[in-house]
Amino acid sequence: MEIYDVVLIPLIIGIVELLKMYGMPRRLLPVMALIFGVVGGIIYIYPHDIKAGVLVGLMMGLSASGLYAGGRTVIDK
């Protein structure tokens, strides 16, 4: 993973903000950030290594949504 790959984190944040703007329920936004992170990790960063792509994608998704804020949103129905 190179320093340029970290650019995906603000991109994930932007996509999730668009989803929020278009009416997606707030409790689903952290899940969407994780999904976008994993997809970006597998397709863009590590297309040849699925395990590494999932791991890096999870880190990017959690970074984008914020671990505490994301967990709190899911718990607060």
Side-chain angles (χ1 to χ4, degrees):
M1 185 166 150
E2 295 187 23
I3 191 69
Y4 301 113
D5 298 336
V6 179
V7 175
L8 286 180
I9 294 172
L11 182 64
I12 294 169
I13 293 171
I15 293 170
V16 170
E17 286 296 320
L18 282 173
L19 291 175
K20 182 169 57 172
M21 202 168 69
Y22 284 109
M24 178 167 272
R26 294 178 77 75
R27 64 185 180 96
L28 293 178
L29 295 175
V31 175
M32 294 307 296
L34 284 175
I35 291 170
F36 290 134
V38 170
V39 169
I42 292 172
I43 292 175
Y44 180 70
I45 297 177
Y46 287 112
H48 56 279
D49 188 3
I50 300 295
K51 290 180 188 177
V54 168
L55 184 62
V56 170
L58 286 173
M59 290 189 306
M60 287 190 310
L62 288 172
S63 297
S65 67
L67 182 58
Y68 177 76
R72 201 71 185 140
T73 303
V74 171
I75 291 172
D76 289 342
K77 192 175 176 185

XYZ file of all heavy atoms in Angstrom:
581
model
N 0.843 -1.172 0.000
C 0.000 0.000 0.000
C 0.888 1.235 0.000
O 1.802 1.350 0.795
C -0.906 -0.016 1.230
C -1.889 1.101 1.251
S -3.148 0.771 2.493
C -3.546 2.421 2.923
N 0.621 2.138 -0.897
C 1.394 3.364 -0.992
C 0.612 4.518 -0.401
O -0.582 4.414 -0.137
C 1.722 3.647 -2.456
C 2.625 2.590 -3.056
C 3.072 2.954 -4.447
O 3.068 4.144 -4.783
O 3.421 2.036 -5.182
N 1.277 5.618 -0.224
C 0.650 6.788 0.381
C -0.513 7.297 -0.476
O -1.494 7.820 0.051
C 1.695 7.890 0.639
C 1.117 8.997 1.516
C 2.221 8.469 -0.659
C 0.865 8.597 2.913
N -0.444 7.098 -1.778
C -1.516 7.561 -2.663
C -2.803 6.762 -2.487
O -3.874 7.225 -2.834
C -1.066 7.506 -4.120
C 0.156 8.341 -4.382
C 1.362 7.752 -4.715
C 0.093 9.726 -4.278
C 2.483 8.524 -4.944
C 1.217 10.504 -4.504
C 2.410 9.896 -4.835
O 3.510 10.666 -5.045
N -2.687 5.557 -1.961
C -3.871 4.719 -1.762
C -4.760 5.237 -0.630
O -5.939 4.909 -0.571
C -3.453 3.274 -1.471
C -2.692 2.667 -2.639
O -2.885 3.152 -3.777
O -1.915 1.730 -2.416
N -4.199 6.041 0.247
C -4.963 6.606 1.357
C -6.008 7.601 0.843
O -6.957 7.934 1.550
C -4.006 7.256 2.376
C -4.747 7.883 3.532
C -3.025 6.220 2.900
N -5.875 8.033 -0.394
C -6.826 8.965 -1.000
C -8.225 8.348 -1.065
O -9.219 9.070 -1.146
C -6.333 9.380 -2.407
C -7.335 10.239 -3.133
C -5.006 10.094 -2.291
N -8.313 7.038 -1.004
C -9.626 6.390 -1.034
C -10.463 6.726 0.201
O -11.688 6.715 0.122
C -9.471 4.874 -1.144
C -9.048 4.343 -2.505
C -8.930 2.832 -2.460
C -10.031 4.750 -3.572
N -9.842 7.032 1.323
C -10.597 7.323 2.540
C -11.486 8.553 2.363
O -12.690 8.477 2.632
C -9.661 7.431 3.758
C -9.025 6.070 4.028
C -10.427 7.922 4.992
C -7.939 6.082 5.072
N -10.961 9.701 1.902
C -11.873 10.832 1.678
C -12.903 10.551 0.585
O -14.025 11.072 0.641
C -10.966 11.985 1.267
C -9.596 11.557 1.516
C -9.585 10.084 1.716
N -12.558 9.724 -0.377
C -13.519 9.349 -1.415
C -14.675 8.552 -0.815
O -15.842 8.799 -1.135
C -12.824 8.543 -2.514
C -13.682 8.114 -3.686
C -14.188 9.333 -4.443
C -12.897 7.211 -4.606
N -14.369 7.625 0.084
C -15.406 6.858 0.769
C -16.283 7.791 1.596
O -17.512 7.675 1.589
C -14.776 5.763 1.657
C -14.078 4.712 0.790
C -15.829 5.106 2.545
C -13.211 3.746 1.568
N -15.661 8.722 2.301
C -16.423 9.689 3.099
C -17.365 10.483 2.197
O -18.536 10.689 2.531
C -15.479 10.625 3.877
C -14.716 9.842 4.934
C -16.258 11.769 4.520
C -13.613 10.626 5.607
N -16.894 10.920 1.050
C -17.725 11.676 0.122
C -18.901 10.882 -0.402
O -20.026 11.382 -0.475
N -18.667 9.619 -0.741
C -19.753 8.774 -1.247
C -20.787 8.530 -0.153
O -21.999 8.589 -0.398
C -19.195 7.443 -1.790
C -18.355 7.694 -3.045
C -20.330 6.468 -2.096
C -17.580 6.487 -3.517
N -20.326 8.287 1.069
C -21.254 8.065 2.181
C -22.048 9.336 2.479
O -23.244 9.273 2.766
C -20.493 7.551 3.427
C -21.380 7.541 4.652
C -19.953 6.153 3.171
N -21.417 10.487 2.385
C -22.133 11.750 2.587
C -23.206 11.949 1.514
O -24.286 12.448 1.798
C -21.161 12.930 2.584
C -20.331 13.038 3.833
C -21.157 13.318 5.075
O -22.105 14.124 5.004
O -20.856 12.719 6.117
N -22.906 11.560 0.282
C -23.921 11.627 -0.775
C -25.104 10.710 -0.468
O -26.254 11.083 -0.678
C -23.313 11.252 -2.128
C -22.479 12.309 -2.818
C -21.820 11.731 -4.061
C -23.346 13.492 -3.192
N -24.807 9.512 0.012
C -25.878 8.590 0.378
C -26.740 9.182 1.490
O -27.963 9.055 1.479
C -25.309 7.244 0.815
C -24.665 6.399 -0.280
C -24.032 5.161 0.331
C -25.675 6.016 -1.332
N -26.082 9.835 2.450
C -26.820 10.466 3.543
C -27.693 11.599 3.019
O -28.837 11.753 3.421
C -25.838 10.991 4.596
C -26.528 11.621 5.793
C -25.597 11.915 6.956
C -24.452 12.792 6.609
N -23.667 13.213 7.780
N -27.157 12.355 2.079
C -27.892 13.472 1.502
C -29.131 12.986 0.739
O -30.153 13.655 0.714
C -26.966 14.255 0.562
C -27.369 15.663 0.310
S -26.068 16.578 -0.515
C -26.047 15.837 -2.125
N -29.025 11.820 0.122
C -30.140 11.285 -0.659
C -31.078 10.405 0.158
O -31.903 9.704 -0.413
C -29.628 10.532 -1.881
C -29.157 11.471 -2.959
C -27.810 11.600 -3.257
C -30.056 12.258 -3.656
C -27.372 12.468 -4.233
C -29.630 13.143 -4.633
C -28.287 13.236 -4.915
O -27.865 14.112 -5.880
N -30.942 10.442 1.484
C -31.944 9.827 2.334
C -31.671 8.443 2.862
O -32.586 7.816 3.411
N -30.457 7.915 2.738
C -30.176 6.600 3.305
C -30.229 6.709 4.834
O -29.755 7.691 5.393
C -28.810 6.091 2.872
C -28.461 4.749 3.477
S -27.056 3.982 2.704
C -27.882 3.102 1.404
N -30.811 5.724 5.503
C -30.871 5.760 6.968
C -29.483 5.857 7.590
O -28.540 5.194 7.149
C -31.532 4.424 7.333
C -32.252 3.998 6.111
C -31.483 4.559 4.952
N -29.371 6.677 8.610
C -28.074 6.952 9.236
C -27.425 5.702 9.816
O -26.203 5.601 9.840
C -28.216 8.015 10.307
C -28.589 9.363 9.742
C -28.786 10.415 10.807
N -27.584 10.971 11.378
C -26.786 11.847 10.789
N -27.048 12.237 9.574
N -25.728 12.309 11.401
N -28.216 4.757 10.262
C -27.625 3.568 10.874
C -26.969 2.644 9.844
O -26.182 1.781 10.203
C -28.647 2.820 11.704
C -29.793 2.261 10.932
C -30.812 1.641 11.873
N -31.921 1.094 11.123
C -32.015 -0.174 10.768
N -31.090 -1.017 11.132
N -33.047 -0.589 10.072
N -27.280 2.819 8.570
C -26.666 2.002 7.530
C -25.397 2.620 6.958
O -24.655 1.948 6.229
C -27.669 1.771 6.393
C -28.873 0.918 6.725
C -29.788 0.810 5.519
C -28.452 -0.452 7.192
N -25.134 3.863 7.251
C -23.975 4.556 6.664
C -22.631 3.926 7.046
O -21.769 3.771 6.176
C -24.022 6.044 7.020
C -25.212 6.802 6.419
C -25.233 8.231 6.925
C -25.184 6.757 4.911
N -22.403 3.529 8.313
C -21.128 2.864 8.621
C -20.950 1.552 7.870
O -19.838 1.207 7.448
C -21.194 2.628 10.130
C -22.198 3.575 10.628
C -23.169 3.791 9.517
N -22.029 0.824 7.676
C -21.964 -0.435 6.926
C -21.582 -0.157 5.475
O -20.759 -0.874 4.885
C -23.309 -1.193 7.018
C -23.296 -2.435 6.150
C -23.633 -1.532 8.456
N -22.162 0.894 4.910
C -21.826 1.261 3.530
C -20.362 1.684 3.418
O -19.695 1.357 2.431
C -22.752 2.371 3.033
C -24.207 1.958 2.903
S -24.463 0.465 1.916
C -23.882 0.994 0.323
N -19.859 2.395 4.429
C -18.440 2.789 4.422
C -17.548 1.551 4.434
O -16.539 1.498 3.720
C -18.130 3.696 5.608
N -17.912 0.554 5.220
C -17.134 -0.689 5.233
C -17.198 -1.402 3.888
O -16.187 -1.905 3.395
C -17.648 -1.624 6.332
C -17.243 -1.268 7.745
C -17.929 -2.195 8.732
C -15.749 -1.344 7.908
N -18.373 -1.443 3.302
C -18.519 -2.106 1.999
C -17.681 -1.403 0.948
O -16.941 -2.051 0.189
C -20.006 -2.171 1.586
C -20.756 -3.149 2.491
C -20.151 -2.561 0.118
C -22.257 -3.122 2.333
N -17.767 -0.076 0.892
C -16.966 0.668 -0.085
C -15.470 0.499 0.182
O -14.672 0.423 -0.753
C -17.336 2.149 -0.082
C -18.691 2.432 -0.655
C -19.567 3.280 -0.006
C -19.108 1.853 -1.835
C -20.821 3.548 -0.520
C -20.360 2.107 -2.366
C -21.218 2.962 -1.704
N -15.089 0.444 1.448
C -13.680 0.237 1.790
C -13.178 -1.112 1.316
O -12.103 -1.220 0.719
N -13.953 -2.156 1.573
C -13.538 -3.502 1.165
C -13.484 -3.617 -0.358
O -12.524 -4.169 -0.911
C -14.480 -4.573 1.776
C -14.226 -5.937 1.166
C -14.302 -4.623 3.284
N -14.477 -3.067 -1.026
C -14.479 -3.107 -2.496
C -13.269 -2.347 -3.044
O -12.572 -2.832 -3.943
C -15.801 -2.541 -3.059
C -15.718 -2.320 -4.551
C -16.948 -3.471 -2.727
N -12.995 -1.182 -2.489
C -11.825 -0.411 -2.930
C -10.527 -1.128 -2.635
O -9.590 -1.107 -3.440
N -10.453 -1.778 -1.468
C -9.243 -2.520 -1.117
C -8.983 -3.688 -2.037
O -7.844 -3.962 -2.428
N -10.059 -4.395 -2.396
C -9.899 -5.561 -3.272
C -9.644 -5.148 -4.720
O -8.752 -5.680 -5.380
C -11.145 -6.468 -3.190
C -11.232 -7.106 -1.808
C -11.116 -7.543 -4.265
C -12.527 -7.859 -1.558
N -10.407 -4.187 -5.214
C -10.306 -3.831 -6.632
C -9.105 -2.925 -6.923
O -8.400 -3.139 -7.901
C -11.610 -3.153 -7.105
C -12.736 -4.170 -7.106
C -11.449 -2.542 -8.490
C -14.086 -3.595 -7.432
N -8.859 -1.949 -6.061
C -7.857 -0.932 -6.384
C -6.493 -1.210 -5.761
O -5.476 -1.105 -6.434
C -8.363 0.443 -5.937
C -7.403 1.559 -6.214
C -7.151 1.982 -7.520
C -6.730 2.182 -5.183
C -6.259 2.992 -7.779
C -5.832 3.203 -5.436
C -5.600 3.610 -6.734
O -4.708 4.610 -6.976
N -6.459 -1.575 -4.493
C -5.165 -1.674 -3.809
C -4.521 -3.046 -3.967
O -3.355 -3.150 -4.313
C -5.326 -1.289 -2.324
C -5.771 0.160 -2.230
C -4.024 -1.497 -1.577
C -6.035 0.658 -0.857
N -5.270 -4.116 -3.681
C -4.722 -5.468 -3.767
C -5.601 -6.364 -4.635
O -6.239 -7.289 -4.134
C -4.584 -6.088 -2.373
C -3.468 -5.518 -1.547
C -3.737 -4.765 -0.417
C -2.151 -5.734 -1.900
C -2.722 -4.245 0.346
C -1.116 -5.213 -1.150
C -1.418 -4.467 -0.023
O -0.401 -3.951 0.726
N -5.638 -6.150 -5.932
C -6.481 -7.014 -6.770
C -5.970 -8.449 -6.864
O -6.732 -9.358 -7.154
C -6.449 -6.329 -8.135
C -5.226 -5.500 -8.128
C -4.974 -5.123 -6.694
N -4.703 -8.663 -6.579
C -4.110 -9.987 -6.689
C -4.162 -10.778 -5.381
O -3.888 -11.964 -5.376
C -2.650 -9.865 -7.142
C -1.840 -8.984 -6.245
N -1.881 -7.610 -6.356
C -1.022 -9.263 -5.222
C -1.089 -7.090 -5.425
N -0.574 -8.071 -4.726
N -4.501 -10.119 -4.261
C -4.519 -10.773 -2.953
C -5.801 -10.380 -2.218
O -5.889 -9.301 -1.633
C -3.280 -10.360 -2.164
C -3.114 -11.130 -0.872
O -3.931 -12.031 -0.603
O -2.155 -10.835 -0.132
N -6.790 -11.259 -2.240
C -8.110 -10.965 -1.678
C -8.020 -10.705 -0.171
O -8.634 -9.768 0.341
C -9.098 -12.117 -1.955
C -9.272 -12.331 -3.453
C -10.443 -11.857 -1.291
C -9.922 -11.184 -4.173
N -7.260 -11.524 0.555
C -7.154 -11.361 2.005
C -6.591 -9.994 2.372
O -7.118 -9.314 3.251
C -6.278 -12.450 2.613
C -6.891 -13.814 2.604
C -5.938 -14.807 3.235
C -6.436 -16.223 3.070
N -5.485 -17.192 3.622
N -5.527 -9.603 1.710
C -4.934 -8.293 1.982
C -5.886 -7.174 1.579
O -5.987 -6.155 2.270
C -3.608 -8.150 1.240
N -6.596 -7.353 0.480
C -7.560 -6.354 0.036
C -8.685 -6.159 1.033
O -9.092 -5.034 1.320
N -9.180 -7.268 1.591
C -10.253 -7.176 2.586
C -9.732 -6.489 3.847
O -10.402 -5.612 4.411
C -10.826 -8.579 2.909
C -11.730 -8.539 4.131
C -11.566 -9.133 1.713
N -8.545 -6.865 4.300
C -7.981 -6.272 5.508
C -7.757 -4.772 5.353
O -8.171 -3.977 6.200
C -6.673 -6.971 5.876
C -6.021 -6.514 7.173
C -6.937 -6.795 8.350
C -4.695 -7.212 7.352
N -7.142 -4.375 4.254
C -6.905 -2.951 4.008
C -8.230 -2.224 3.797
O -8.414 -1.107 4.271
C -5.960 -2.768 2.793
C -5.894 -1.323 2.362
C -4.580 -3.275 3.140
N -9.165 -2.869 3.137
C -10.476 -2.271 2.926
C -11.225 -2.041 4.226
O -11.867 -1.003 4.409
N -11.132 -3.000 5.148
C -11.751 -2.810 6.452
C -11.123 -1.634 7.197
O -11.825 -0.836 7.816
C -11.633 -4.086 7.292
C -12.542 -5.231 6.899
C -12.204 -6.484 7.699
C -13.990 -4.861 7.093
N -9.808 -1.528 7.120
C -9.135 -0.399 7.768
C -9.567 0.927 7.152
O -9.811 1.898 7.870
C -7.607 -0.547 7.672
C -7.069 -1.651 8.531
S -5.280 -1.719 8.649
C -4.765 -1.759 6.964
N -9.691 0.976 5.843
C -10.123 2.216 5.189
C -11.569 2.544 5.519
O -11.900 3.698 5.786
C -9.941 2.112 3.674
C -8.520 2.178 3.230
S -8.330 2.344 1.455
C -9.359 1.060 0.818
N -12.438 1.545 5.514
C -13.840 1.775 5.836
C -14.031 2.242 7.268
O -14.812 3.153 7.541
N -13.304 1.620 8.194
C -13.389 2.043 9.591
C -12.798 3.429 9.792
O -13.305 4.220 10.588
C -12.686 1.030 10.501
C -13.403 -0.303 10.673
C -12.522 -1.285 11.428
C -14.720 -0.116 11.378
N -11.748 3.726 9.065
C -11.175 5.064 9.154
C -12.138 6.104 8.613
O -12.256 7.198 9.157
C -9.866 5.146 8.364
O -8.912 4.291 8.917
N -12.818 5.766 7.549
C -13.740 6.714 6.932
C -14.946 6.981 7.822
O -15.418 8.104 7.922
C -14.197 6.198 5.572
N -15.468 5.978 8.462
C -16.690 6.178 9.238
C -16.410 6.517 10.692
O -17.270 7.074 11.362
C -17.562 4.927 9.164
O -16.931 3.859 9.836
N -15.255 6.171 11.167
C -14.947 6.362 12.576
C -15.498 5.184 13.358
O -16.696 4.948 13.334
N -14.627 4.449 14.000
C -15.051 3.223 14.679
C -16.096 3.500 15.752
O -17.138 2.866 15.790
C -13.834 2.524 15.283
C -14.072 1.204 15.994
C -14.718 0.214 15.040
C -12.767 0.661 16.505
N -15.873 4.456 16.579
C -16.823 4.736 17.657
C -18.131 5.298 17.111
O -19.208 4.846 17.479
C -16.222 5.706 18.668
C -17.189 6.086 19.751
C -17.483 5.207 20.773
C -17.816 7.318 19.730
C -18.393 5.539 21.763
C -18.734 7.659 20.713
C -19.008 6.782 21.730
O -19.909 7.108 22.700
N -18.044 6.274 16.229
C -19.248 6.888 15.692
C -20.080 5.884 14.904
O -21.305 5.879 14.983
C -18.893 8.078 14.808
N -19.416 5.017 14.171
C -20.132 4.005 13.407
C -20.843 3.011 14.296
O -22.001 2.681 14.070
N -20.164 2.533 15.304
C -20.791 1.597 16.239
C -21.934 2.237 16.988
O -22.979 1.631 17.214
N -21.781 3.470 17.347
C -22.824 4.194 18.076
C -24.066 4.389 17.197
O -25.187 4.283 17.675
C -22.269 5.546 18.509
C -22.980 6.161 19.619
C -22.667 5.379 20.890
N -23.472 5.938 21.941
C -24.077 5.248 22.866
N -23.939 3.966 22.920
N -24.814 5.832 23.756
N -23.863 4.689 15.916
C -24.990 4.893 15.004
C -25.776 3.602 14.816
O -27.009 3.622 14.781
C -24.492 5.403 13.647
O -23.756 6.592 13.848
C -25.633 5.676 12.707
N -25.094 2.474 14.714
C -25.770 1.195 14.523
C -26.542 0.810 15.779
O -27.663 0.313 15.707
C -24.750 0.099 14.137
C -25.390 -1.264 14.141
C -24.150 0.390 12.778
N -25.954 1.064 16.961
C -26.602 0.691 18.220
C -27.817 1.566 18.496
O -28.856 1.086 18.928
C -25.595 0.773 19.386
C -24.560 -0.339 19.229
C -26.296 0.653 20.727
C -23.412 -0.248 20.184
N -27.694 2.869 18.231
C -28.808 3.795 18.468
C -29.822 3.694 17.333
O -29.791 4.452 16.392
C -28.300 5.241 18.566
C -27.530 5.489 19.825
O -27.660 4.695 20.787
O -26.786 6.466 19.864
N -30.676 2.788 17.432
C -31.678 2.523 16.405
C -32.455 3.733 16.127
O -33.068 4.407 15.699
C -32.559 1.391 16.896
C -33.452 0.792 15.880
C -34.137 -0.373 16.506
C -35.136 -0.990 15.609
N -35.872 -2.033 16.248
